[in-house]
Amino acid sequence: MIYLICFSVALLLLVYIMTYGRIIDYNLMLLIVVVAVSNGGYYALSVSRSLPEAILANTISYVLGIFSPMLMFFIVCGVCKIQLPNSVIAIMTLVQILIYASVCTTGRLDIFYKTVQLHLNESGSYLTKTYGPMHTVYLISLAFYTLANIAVAVYSIRRRTAVSRINVDILLFVDLFSIGVYVNERMVKTPVELMPVASTITLVIMLIPLVKVAIFSPYNNVEIVDTEFNNKGYLVFSKQLKFMGCSEYAKTLFPEITEWELEKDIPGNGGRFNTYLNPDFMEFVKDGGKLEKSPFRVFKYNDNVYGYEIGKIYRGSSLKGYYIRVIDVTDVNVEDFGLLKEVT
């Protein structure tokens, strides 16, 4: 019964995550599909009444152990803003496919399992096996991705101005939690497989940072993205006024941003942002629900004139945060917009 519950929860999570459309990392959607399919395999194994049925169900359940570590690694790299070459992704995927292909030979070849026996009891069906050489390769792949996730996390935590330490800590925790459950199962034999439960819990926890990253990415929000994104500066803040990210051009306009920590308060002193934008930003936030978007205003720095507006970010009807859009309007006649008096 516990496997059926885990299968249903994974499907509900898939439906939930699909409501976010294109803004969610496709690796997360693939991971949820993998967990759902695997949980279905565990359930099928528990109700199997013949050895061929049990082998097929066991083969289905192995998509979790083989593909989820790789997908988890891709997700961690994405959150940590590490771009993997397509060739590396292709090689990693091919290796995992080959390992899974060896699982599919169970009952015909002895490269993954040498022997397989089916047992029936009141708790459900289960298999006992002796392992072949490809199972050792499978364990090596688990160890590789665990160490790789730790290495990426440690490297990224040092880049606190580019990556949210909170998000990295959460992802590292769920990865080590899953591995810990797997190791415990291998050492302490239990009548119930705990990996479906652990993987489902892992998905729920992972959604917290990954949905947050998607919501506050300036590149994902239709409220602020336009066709000239690279020529405009965007800064994004949470409802609690934590700094959540910005576009690359914003760092050119406000160099101090490169020293800001993600998901931390805006530093209160110094910099162009505090001089030109922060007073209006605080005023806009204090006004509450009066305006969805501030009037277009301008400021002058050196010989350039910049225009900016402040707006709100929603998911559905729920306010999630704020954005500031900044654009160079030096070549625009600001008198045409009645904004010359705002230039200082």
Side-chain angles (χ1 to χ4, degrees):
M1 186 64 180
I2 187 66
Y3 304 133
L4 186 58
I5 293 174
C6 291
F7 174 68
S8 300
V9 171
L11 288 180
L12 289 174
L13 291 176
L14 181 60
V15 172
Y16 167 75
I17 210 68
M18 288 176 67
T19 62
Y20 283 89
R22 64 179 180 83
I23 73 172
I24 294 295
D25 185 351
Y26 70 89
N27 286 312
L28 176 60
M29 296 191 69
L30 288 176
L31 180 60
I32 296 176
V33 171
V34 163
V35 172
V37 170
S38 178
N39 288 350
Y42 278 109
Y43 173 71
L45 175 58
S46 69
V47 297
S48 296
R49 290 298 178 263
S50 68
L51 183 59
E53 288 180 12
I55 290 176
L56 177 59
N58 184 71
T59 301
I60 294 173
S61 70
Y62 254 97
V63 299
L64 177 68
I66 291 176
F67 293 107
S68 64
M70 178 186 67
L71 291 172
M72 185 67 188
F73 176 67
F74 293 160
I75 290 170
V76 170
C77 287
V79 171
C80 295
K81 299 180 180 178
I82 294 177
Q83 183 66 42
L84 295 173
N86 290 335
S87 58
V88 172
I89 295 175
I91 292 172
M92 287 181 169
T93 303
L94 178 60
V95 170
Q96 298 308 106
I97 290 174
L98 291 176
I99 296 175
Y100 187 71
S102 71
V103 178
C104 295
T105 66
T106 301
R108 294 182 293 275
L109 301 175
D110 60 359
I111 59 175
F112 197 85
Y113 290 141
K114 292 182 178 179
T115 61
V116 183
Q117 291 182 318
L118 176 64
H119 304 272
L120 305 176
N121 60 24
E122 296 180 355
S123 301
S125 306
Y126 67 95
L127 295 173
T128 55
K129 322 99 167 176
T130 56
Y131 300 116
M134 283 303 295
H135 191 272
T136 302
V137 176
Y138 162 66
L139 295 179
I140 292 172
S141 74
L142 288 180
F144 168 78
Y145 283 111
T146 300
L147 294 175
N149 283 334
I150 294 173
V152 170
V154 171
Y155 167 74
S156 298
I157 286 174
R158 297 179 180 178
R159 301 163 59 231
R160 65 184 187 279
T161 60
V163 177
S164 168
R165 179 165 184 170
I166 296 174
N167 294 342
V168 176
D169 287 346
I170 290 175
L171 293 180
L172 185 58
F173 166 77
V174 297
D175 182 55
L176 294 178
F177 170 71
S178 298
I179 292 297
V181 171
Y182 177 81
V183 172
N184 179 71
E185 280 194 335
R186 301 286 73 79
M187 297 178 64
V188 181
K189 299 297 181 180
T190 59
V192 178
E193 291 275 1
L194 298 178
M195 280 309 298
V197 180
S199 61
T200 305
I201 293 174
T202 293
L203 281 181
V204 174
I205 297 175
M206 284 177 61
L207 286 180
I208 298 173
L210 295 179
V211 169
K212 181 171 61 176
V213 167
I215 288 175
F216 290 109
S217 170
Y219 297 92
N220 286 336
N221 282 285
V222 295
E223 295 93 339
I224 62 178
V225 172
D226 55 34
T227 56
E228 298 180 355
F229 189 89
N230 293 329
N231 297 321
K232 299 179 182 179
Y234 295 91
L235 299 93
V236 182
F237 304 88
S238 70
K239 188 166 60 175
Q240 295 75 31
L241 304 185
K242 307 292 185 182
F243 174 61
M244 303 302 295
C246 66
S247 65
E248 288 302 314
Y249 187 57
K251 297 177 183 178
T252 301
L253 300 177
F254 307 97
E256 68 272 17
I257 292 177
T258 59
E259 301 299 322
W260 291 6
E261 291 191 45
L262 291 174
E263 299 196 44
K264 299 291 184 181
D265 293 331
I266 305 169
N269 298 314
R272 299 178 196 172
F273 178 86
N274 284 314
T275 301
Y276 298 108
L277 301 187
N278 206 19
D280 283 340
F281 181 39
M282 293 298 105
E283 180 181 346
F284 178 82
V285 172
K286 288 179 182 178
D287 284 342
K290 294 182 180 179
L291 296 173
E292 296 299 315
K293 186 182 294 185
S294 72
F296 190 79
R297 298 172 179 170
V298 298
F299 67 89
K300 185 175 182 180
Y301 182 78
N302 291 336
D303 295 325
N304 292 329
V305 179
Y306 300 96
Y308 64 95
E309 64 181 6
I310 305 166
K312 298 177 180 179
I313 296 174
Y314 289 92
R315 291 307 300 176
S317 59
S318 177
L319 176 65
K320 294 298 183 181
Y322 305 91
Y323 71 87
I324 302 177
R325 179 194 285 119
V326 187
I327 182 172
D328 190 333
V329 293
T330 304
D331 297 328
V332 178
N333 188 352
V334 292
E335 290 180 322
D336 293 342
F337 300 96
L339 298 172
L340 185 60
K341 60 182 179 181
E342 299 286 346
V343 181
T344 58

